[in-house]
Amino acid sequence: MAELNIVREHTLGLAKARKIAFQWAEQVEQEFAMQCNYAQGKHIDEVEFVRSGVKGSLTVTKTHFELRAQLGFLLGAFKGTIEAEIVKNLDALLAAPTPVPKKRPVPKA
């Protein structure tokens, strides 16, 4: 069985990292037919994901993401391609600009 272990450091804090993890979970559910369960904690969140041939989790903290996955026999042959796609998708989500809140106009006195 092939294993993946991908770690990405960030400076987003837990609230923003949580939003990215939600986006990632939605993306893999749609694109790869994964079943995801999101468990929110005080300091750590975890997304567990599964589908035929793949089982793993994405751990989210205020400073990093850590994805661990086990690939079944058939998907293990494509480990490099699968890892590259996961890295590309996660890095794209981390690089996306976070929306800046609009400033309210200051009323004139």
Side-chain angles (χ1 to χ4, degrees), residues 22-107:
F22 275 123
Q23 288 177 315
W24 182 87
E26 288 176 348
Q27 188 176 23
V28 297
E29 283 179 331
Q30 291 174 359
E31 291 182 25
F32 304 109
M34 295 277 185
Q35 292 179 342
C36 295
N37 291 319
Y38 199 107
Q40 213 172 50
K42 186 173 181 178
H43 302 289
I44 297 174
D45 289 4
E46 187 165 22
V47 181
E48 291 183 354
F49 54 90
V50 65
R51 69 163 269 177
S52 180
V54 181
K55 181 180 181 180
S57 65
L58 175 67
T59 303
V60 182
T61 72
K62 68 179 184 176
T63 61
H64 73 275
F65 291 90
E66 182 173 4
L67 183 135
R68 293 178 179 259
Q70 293 180 336
L71 305 177
F73 180 73
L74 294 175
L75 290 178
F78 300 100
K79 177 185 176 190
T81 304
I82 292 168
E83 185 170 19
E85 186 68 17
I86 291 170
V87 166
K88 180 182 86 171
N89 291 344
L90 189 55
D91 286 348
L93 288 170
L94 284 168
T98 50
V100 177
K102 294 180 182 179
K103 292 183 180 180
R104 293 183 186 171
V106 178

Side-chain angles (χ1 to χ4, degrees), residues 10-21 23 60 65 98-99:
H10 65 79
T11 58
L12 301 170
L14 185 56
K16 289 180 183 175
R18 183 175 280 151
K19 288 179 183 178
I20 289 173
Q23 288 177 315
V60 182
F65 291 90
T98 50

